[in-house]
Amino acid sequence: MSRPPRPPAANSRRQGASPAARPSAAVGATGASLHPRNRHQGHYDFDALLAQSPALAAHLISTPYGERSIDFSQPAAVRALNAALLRLQYGIAHWQIPEGYLCPPVPGRADYLHGLADLLASDNEGVIPRGDQVRALDIGVGANCIYPLIGHAEYGWRFVGTEIDLQAIAIAQQIVDANPGLAAAIELRAQTLRGQVFASVLKAGERFDLSLCNPPFHASAEEAARGSQRKWRNLGKPIGKRAATPLNFGGQSNELWCTGGEASFLRRMINESAPLANSICWFTSLVAKSEHLPALRKQLQKVGASEVRELSMAQGNKQSRFLAWTFLDASLRRVWRAQREAI
Ligand code: SAH
């Protein structure tokens, strides 16, 4: 067994070809607490990972502590580790994304799902509602399809994933199709109106117990490129040809930025959520920059949210969080729950 990398920091959510965690020195550090139900506590069990995914062997390295690990600056190694983790921990036998697409740090992504399960449990006498009557809407599912994969495996929830990038959606669909049983649980929908979050992807009368989102982070392509170069430099890698051609670009530039960055994306999401008060019980999103929170809370008050919660996730030495809001008070949420159970 070897220690896993420090769980991903909030700003390492934007991984494409760049590393999913700090390499070498940090590889040996377990980092701060993941959610207690997170399957990635403590040490990666490389014996078990290799038994399930022999292809990972090609990417193994030995750390300065003499432990087995992978080189997190190598996208192919991170992809192989992710494929092995998804297979071992979540029974996802086939997971493949092309080079250049966002390669998610699995432990951190799983934490958001566990936090969401706790949120739903708080309306359900402390019991996590499981099974396919629970419906979740993932805004920006990405090529990696990570939240539906983990959420369905952990809790049996059904997902609709939306995406503006048609190539990403095609890759996510390949993952769904390659794994028996997923097609009934995960539906992917293209968001054809780039500036919209919920509009046009919801069908009439459709209801979701929650929405989730890992929003585009940077405000411009240039900012995203600078972010990539900074990460590369932090890894002690020369800013050579690879970094000058921004690492995270190509097919997945949408993944990294949107006009106005995270704050503007979340503003749009909040504005669009109010008219959907009775269609989605809990709206949620990751918020990478805590300085955005006061303005977001103010806006939520303005649009009439009846409850707003901020749920923190400690990941490595970074504090991350997701914001959750609902327009339904506790008694309306009891009605919602009864209707779900009646399905
Ligand atoms: N959920 C994945 C991908 C997050 S990156 C993960 O956590 O790894 C953000 C994704 O949102 C990108 O794939 C981007 O193409 C998509 N996106 C951006 N604007 C969107 C919109 N308005 N509606 C749906 N998806 C959007």
Side-chain angles (χ1 to χ4, degrees):
M1 301 243 293
S2 174
R3 274 179 258 165
R6 189 183 291 272
N11 66 358
S12 68
R13 293 190 295 115
R14 298 283 155 259
Q15 311 290 355
S18 64
R22 287 202 267 144
S24 48
V27 163
T30 308
S33 43
L34 289 168
H35 189 283
R37 285 193 305 278
N38 197 306
R39 292 172 191 268
H40 308 281
Q41 317 280 349
H43 296 206
Y44 283 141
D45 184 344
F46 274 105
D47 288 333
L49 288 167
L50 287 164
Q52 290 282 330
S53 305
L56 182 62
H59 301 284
L60 286 187
I61 58 164
S62 182
T63 70
Y65 312 101
E67 294 169 332
R68 279 181 297 181
S69 188
I70 62 157
D71 181 350
F72 284 89
S73 70
Q74 295 301 318
V78 178
R79 283 200 302 273
L81 175 65
N82 277 10
L85 285 171
L86 288 168
R87 181 181 279 232
L88 176 68
Q89 304 286 13
Y90 304 101
I92 312 294
H94 306 284
W95 182 86
Q96 235 182 349
I97 56 168
E99 173 135 23
Y101 274 90
L102 193 68
C103 193
V106 176
R109 296 298 200 276
D111 247 26
Y112 186 9
L113 271 313
H114 294 304
L116 291 173
D118 290 344
L119 179 69
L120 293 187
S122 72
D123 282 342
N124 199 40
E125 282 148 32
V127 178
I128 297 168
R130 293 170 189 262
D132 63 4
Q133 76 279 23
V134 178
R135 298 195 74 212
L137 178 67
D138 181 13
I139 302 294
V141 64
N144 60 53
C145 200
I146 192 71
Y147 290 130
L149 293 177
I150 297 180
H152 176 66
E154 287 284 12
Y155 299 113
W157 299 343
R158 235 176 340 141
F159 281 80
V160 170
T162 74
E163 183 51 64
I164 50 167
D165 181 331
L166 296 182
Q167 235 180 310
I169 233 175
I171 297 161
Q173 190 65 56
Q174 276 170 16
I175 296 172
V176 170
D177 293 342
N179 291 282
L182 288 189
I186 302 173
E187 186 193 337
L188 303 170
R189 292 183 194 164
Q191 169 59 275
T192 49
L193 305 171
R194 218 191 151 78
Q196 308 276 354
V197 177
F198 297 110
S200 90
V201 287
L202 258 64
K203 295 179 179 162
E206 201 170 29
R207 282 162 47 123
F208 290 93
D209 297 282
L210 58 87
S211 66
L212 64 155
C213 181
N214 179 6
F217 183 75
H218 294 291
S220 68
E222 292 70 33
E223 188 187 306
R226 277 198 302 276
S228 294
Q229 295 198 354
R230 200 165 40 244
K231 264 182 229 150
W232 203 240
R233 219 178 284 118
N234 291 343
L235 288 168
K237 305 280 179 190
I239 303 292
K241 198 165 151 243
R242 291 194 69 175
T245 337
L247 283 171
N248 287 320
F249 283 80
Q252 42 75 291
S253 59
N254 287 327
E255 294 179 322
L256 302 166
W257 72 278
C258 67
T259 310
E262 174 183 83
S264 138
F265 196 86
L266 287 170
R267 263 199 308 277
R268 245 187 291 155
M269 182 181 286
I270 290 172
N271 279 336
E272 282 189 38
S273 69
L276 297 172
N278 294 304
S279 303
I280 298 178
C281 185
W282 281 102
F283 296 86
T284 78
S285 178
L286 292 183
V287 180
K289 295 184 183 165
S290 61
E291 60 267 32
H292 291 154
L293 289 166
L296 295 172
R297 282 183 168 278
K298 217 163 148 187
Q299 195 194 346
L300 282 165
Q301 198 177 15
K302 205 166 125 195
V303 299
S306 71
E307 212 174 313
V308 178
R309 296 190 201 168
E310 191 186 311
L311 295 109
S312 58
M313 301 182 288
Q315 294 176 20
N317 52 4
K318 288 273 179 183
Q319 193 65 33
S320 173
R321 79 242 5 114
F322 70 88
L323 194 62
W325 66 98
T326 178
F327 297 91
L328 307 178
D329 62 19
S331 68
L332 287 172
R333 297 205 300 276
R334 272 194 295 278
V335 173
W336 181 288
R337 173 188 155 189
Q339 287 172 347
R340 182 179 63 220
E341 284 168 357
I343 293 171

